[in-house]
Amino acid sequence: MGRFKMHSLISKDKGFYKKVTSIAIPIALQGLITNGVNMMDTIMVGAIGQTQLSAVSLANQFITIFHIFCMGIGMGASVLVARYYGMRDSSSLKKTVAIMLRLCLALSLLFSVATAVIPELIMKIYTVEADIIAYGVRYLKYSVASYALLGLSLTCTIVLRNVDQVKLPLYTSIGIFFVNVGANYIFIFGKCGMPRMDVAGAALGTLIARIFEFCVICGYLFFKDTKIAFRIKDLFMLVGALWKEYIRISIPVLVSDGILALGNNSVAMVIGRLGESFVAANAVTAVTQQLSSVMTQGFSQAGAIVTGYTLGEGDKKKAQEQGYAFLGIGFVFGIVAAGIIMLISSPMIAAYNLSEQTQEIARQLMLSISIIVVFQATNSIMTKGVLRGGGDTKVLMLADNIFLWIASIPLGILAGLVFHFPAFWIYFALKIDQVLKAFWCVIRLRSGKWIKKIRSDDEIEKCVKN
């Protein structure tokens, strides 16, 4: 199990790629549309001014913490959902969803209160420039109500994907695109008789889109879906000893993604102190990177789902072989993403109202990202997909944060704030964890130690009684 040759990176199972693609493509298309919404937000706000663009970009860093925490809750639950779905254990499946939604609602309340009470303090974490802080506060105040909507829609979407419901989230994201872009146009620029709201209009447009998304996704799960058959009353169901298994498998994912979110915000804090031009350039390049990596995101989640199904059926050897195939997929998509970035970088930069200095920084960041993304795609499909689907969540928690906190953040601070290296090297230092993690993933996959046993609700109860 420990050794593999290059041909091991290509699966001999013809049905494997068909199954993976059927899951990954709708997820990737949804990601493409979501990133398209983000790009339109950035372009519309950027049309107002560079200061407003920087403010919205930094304010969204705090919202991104919440987003990543919810991803942790949802992806942690998905490890159990995929495994229980493969085991055909409907009772454990519903209890897992109930625990997930309770955690999501508690987290939403916490972030809503913080955003409502201390928006200025939140902005001061990221920048010291008064104009950016003022615009950021306006944006955050209109975002208070969006947390619960975003959190519930996001986690429910992840759960639906794990039971082969991938088309509804895709169709919903298409609707979100038109709702969000239309609302942004009306409220940012003051069209159709509405007042011009600038950055507040962007936040209001996003809130309207979140309401639409919540009604469709959560409405379907709570009232229509039959595969999980979860209803609102089930939110209050007794979950018994399954809490222990959820904590053992899912909480490390939440902790890992949560600490990772704080780490990424530390990176944003470094960037925020490199000046308005660097912040604006990073906002532009981040959208480009997201657009180029949507396929990787789709196949990452497909990796977790397929691995969970396979292990739920009890076939460890097949899961290991699939892991090598996913490793090959990650490398290929990394190369493709790098090529896309190089092709679209110039027109993307030209689409924004940026100063000459900001454009030059953006060009350097694009070049740096095109190298980093090869390694990022490879490790993303492994860490967020295969290894996580295998239940290796505790080790992943350690690996994610060791590489970030011991390598990326210290080197980024030295490169940007101490030695004042060119933008290319600052960004490369800030993202060096992606390179290191890619090599570590290969070692972990070869070991076979990433495959963990997950117990059902009945098995846990028997252990408790004994």
Side-chain angles (χ1 to χ4, degrees), residues 179-202:
V179 171
N180 196 20
V181 171
N184 277 355
Y185 177 74
I186 292 171
F187 294 110
I188 291 176
F189 303 109
K191 303 297 182 178
C192 301
M194 301 303 295
R196 180 185 175 96
M197 298 176 66
D198 292 347
V199 294

Side-chain angles (χ1 to χ4, degrees), residues 37-60:
V37 172
N38 294 338
M39 182 181 71
M40 291 303 297
D41 279 352
T42 307
I43 291 175
M44 287 181 177
V45 174
I48 304 171
Q50 188 168 291
T51 302
Q52 289 89 335
L53 174 61
S54 298
V56 171
S57 173
L58 292 177
N60 272 316

Side-chain angles (χ1 to χ4, degrees), residues 330-392:
F331 182 73
V332 169
F333 279 114
I335 296 295
V336 171
I340 292 173
I341 290 173
M342 296 304 294
L343 284 173
I344 69 173
S345 59
S346 294
M348 281 294 293
I349 294 170
Y352 295 88
N353 181 24
L354 304 174
S355 66
E356 284 295 327
Q357 180 186 11
T358 304
Q359 289 183 40
E360 174 56 30
I361 293 173
R363 281 189 285 270
Q364 291 189 44
L365 295 187
M366 291 287 191
L367 180 60
S368 185
I369 288 171
S370 67
I371 298 172
I372 291 292
V373 76
V374 177
F375 300 94
Q376 185 172 358
T378 303
N379 81 62
S380 177
I381 286 181
M382 298 310 298
T383 58
K384 308 302 181 188
V386 176
L387 302 182
R388 181 172 285 181
D392 199 25

Side-chain angles (χ1 to χ4, degrees), residues 35 282-297 337-338 340-341 344-345 348 365-366 368-377 427 431 434:
N35 288 316
N282 182 63
V284 173
T285 52
V287 172
T288 306
Q289 182 182 2
Q290 290 165 0
L291 285 171
S292 69
S293 303
V294 290
M295 291 301 293
T296 302
Q297 295 167 14
I340 292 173
I341 290 173
I344 69 173
S345 59
M348 281 294 293
L365 295 187
M366 291 287 191
S368 185
I369 288 171
S370 67
I371 298 172
I372 291 292
V373 76
V374 177
F375 300 94
Q376 185 172 358
Y427 195 86
K431 297 293 183 180
Q434 302 296 334

Side-chain angles (χ1 to χ4, degrees), residues 250-283:
S250 301
I251 293 302
V253 178
L254 174 59
V255 172
S256 177
D257 284 2
I259 297 176
L260 205 60
L262 296 176
N264 289 335
N265 267 257
S266 298
V267 171
M269 288 164 64
V270 174
I271 291 174
R273 282 157 177 77
L274 293 173
E276 183 179 301
S277 293
F278 202 108
V279 173
N282 182 63

Side-chain angles (χ1 to χ4, degrees), residues 298-310:
F299 278 89
S300 294
Q301 293 192 41
I305 293 169
V306 170
T307 301
Y309 289 168
T310 303

